[in-house]
Amino acid sequence: MELIRAKDYADMSRKAANIIFAQVVLNPKSVLGLATGDTPLGTYAQLIEKQKAGDCSFAQCSSYNLDEYVGLSADHPQSYHYFMRTNFFDAVDIDAANTHVPDGAAADVEAACTEYDRMVAAAGYPDLQLLGIGRNGHIGFNEPGDTFPRGTHVVDLTESTIEANSRLFDSIDEVPRQAISMGIQTIMSAHRILILASGEQKAQAVHDMVLGPITPQVPASILQLHPACTVIADEAALALC
Ligand code: F6R
């Protein structure tokens, strides 16, 4: 694992955007694995600026997102589809037909999971997978548990994740209780991984990911085994390292 120390959120976002920018310039047909959440917002904003300035293009890229809530349609304002459209896809030149987010509204979510894994594998897995980390060490919606989930699967969200995500809904009762998430094996199949963390509330998770034992109780700890994983964390998130 390579660790890049950033001063603060803005510095973390600039550093992450520079790496994704270089990836896309060097390989305009990059397959990008993307994440939602607060953490990558600054990175997406930086990439939008770079594309608008004509410094890079996503026109030939394809993307695969990590996860989506079960039961929310693509146009639901709290869906991850909607998040990606409004915070990145609609603002850059990526072809919407080449962007993929798991289908949380599918009639058969298990079949949707299998199909998603097939598509990601057929694309050759992401050249670069962007990740955030949950306060409990989750990546995607792979929550602490007894085993590392393998492929894309349906997850029962933990109370801590439901509570953390409730800030985006009118009330905690509206937060879906299930999600579709890429599994750990799918995530680990990416050729390169970039995981971002900002803020003191992530400090324990970052410590456990980087310095703790590899255990499904801290799903991000598996990233220690990835041959090309870069962590970019700011001073607050590195407080315990
Ligand atoms: C989002 C995702 C989650 C988040 C994590 C951190 O697609 O997969 O694992 O990366 O919950 O969320 P934020 O960035 O909001 O702190």
Side-chain angles (χ1 to χ4, degrees):
M1 244 178 184
E2 176 194 29
L3 178 61
I4 297 179
R5 292 173 181 270
K7 192 169 167 309
D8 51 23
Y9 180 80
D11 189 31
M12 177 201 76
S13 302
R14 264 195 313 273
K15 286 175 161 58
N18 284 340
I19 291 173
I20 299 170
F21 169 71
Q23 168 68 42
V24 170
V25 169
L26 290 169
N27 177 6
K29 296 185 176 172
S30 289
V31 178
L32 300 174
L34 299 176
T36 61
D38 289 341
T39 311
L41 279 174
T43 305
Y44 292 143
Q46 294 274 326
L47 288 171
I48 291 166
E49 270 184 37
K50 286 179 190 295
Q51 195 263 301
K52 294 243 179 288
D55 293 334
C56 68
S57 169
F58 298 94
Q60 297 181 75
C61 290
S62 57
S63 71
Y64 291 85
N65 261 78
L66 283 168
D67 42 19
E68 177 59 287
Y69 287 117
V70 169
L72 299 194
S73 63
D75 54 5
H76 189 290
Q78 308 307 342
S79 73
Y80 287 175
H81 274 89
Y82 189 89
F83 175 102
M84 289 308 299
R85 278 210 311 277
T86 51
N87 290 299
F88 189 54
F89 296 152
D90 285 354
V92 293
D93 61 350
I94 196 163
D95 182 346
N98 293 333
T99 65
H100 307 87
V101 180
D103 184 3
D108 183 343
V109 279
E110 298 293 345
C113 291
T114 307
E115 172 59 8
Y116 201 69
D117 267 340
R118 192 200 60 72
M119 286 195 303
V120 179
Y125 294 104
D127 294 298
L128 190 152
Q129 174 69 57
L130 181 63
L131 297 175
I133 183 169
R135 285 181 268 178
N136 61 5
H138 71 227
I139 49 176
F141 271 124
N142 295 284
E143 302 279 13
D146 297 332
T147 55
F148 289 110
R150 292 165 71 90
T152 300
H153 59 292
V154 178
V155 189
D156 294 324
L157 302 185
T158 63
E159 282 309 315
S160 83
T161 298
I162 292 168
E163 193 254 300
N165 291 356
S166 65
R167 69 190 188 283
L168 303 169
F169 290 80
D170 288 338
S171 87
I172 196 162
D173 297 333
E174 289 180 20
V175 186
R177 268 35 188 178
Q178 287 188 314
I180 294 178
S181 179
M182 270 190 200
I184 294 293
Q185 191 177 39
T186 321
I187 293 171
M188 290 291 279
S189 298
H191 301 282
R192 182 168 188 195
I193 293 179
L194 188 57
I195 180 160
L196 311 182
S198 170
E200 62 185 349
Q201 72 280 11
K202 300 292 174 69
Q204 188 66 51
V206 170
H207 168 275
D208 295 350
M209 163 176 69
V210 176
L211 298 172
I214 297 168
T215 164
Q217 291 300 326
V218 182
S221 63
I222 193 86
L223 299 174
Q224 292 175 31
L225 297 178
H226 195 279
C229 178
T230 300
V231 182
I232 308 182
D234 65 13
E235 277 171 15
L238 287 170
L240 302 177
C241 289

